[in-house]
Amino acid sequence: MTLTPSALIQLRSLLSQPEPKLIRVGVKNRGCSGLAYNLEYVEKPGSFDETVEQEGVKVLIDSKALFSIIGSEMDWVEDKLNRRFVFRNPNIMRLR
């Protein structure tokens, strides 16, 4: 998984708390519509979590989500109504 410059900025902001924690990325099935990515704060890595580090920012990947996230790009996007992380995964085909 790679992190875009805007995702790096947002993650640095989230991780620079008085009590630093780690952020773990996981996935959940959403029925026919595919996968939903979720982020959570954790105190320490799970025993099988993988660590992605880019420009000093560390993100954990839940071991159950690893194969779903390989090759993905994590981005931070803002528009008039939303601010959110977006995952672009070239390995997932979209329904047309």
Side-chain angles (χ1 to χ4, degrees):
M1 182 175 76
T2 59
L3 308 170
T4 65
S6 57
L8 286 167
I9 291 167
Q10 186 62 24
L11 287 166
R12 277 191 189 102
S13 172
L14 292 172
L15 293 169
S16 64
Q17 313 174 47
E19 295 180 31
K21 294 187 178 187
L22 299 166
I23 292 179
R24 178 188 293 139
V25 179
V27 294
K28 294 182 180 180
N29 287 328
R30 283 188 359 191
C32 311
S33 60
L35 300 173
Y37 297 88
N38 66 303
L39 279 72
E40 65 180 333
Y41 284 112
V42 295
E43 298 288 333
K44 60 182 181 176
S47 50
F48 298 106
D49 287 350
E50 291 290 325
T51 302
V52 171
E53 184 172 356
Q54 188 175 319
E55 296 183 30
V57 174
K58 290 182 184 179
V59 176
L60 302 175
I61 300 176
D62 185 321
S63 60
K64 293 174 237 145
L66 193 56
F67 290 107
S68 303
I69 292 179
I70 289 175
S72 294
E73 175 187 70
M74 182 178 180
D75 194 10
W76 176 255
V77 295
E78 295 185 22
D79 57 36
K80 292 180 182 179
L81 300 174
N82 293 303
R83 299 180 327 156
R84 66 197 179 282
F85 284 104
V86 173
F87 294 84
R88 295 183 189 95
N89 189 335
N91 301 312
I92 295 178
M93 303 205 32
R94 296 200 181 275
L95 297 174
R96 294 175 198 230

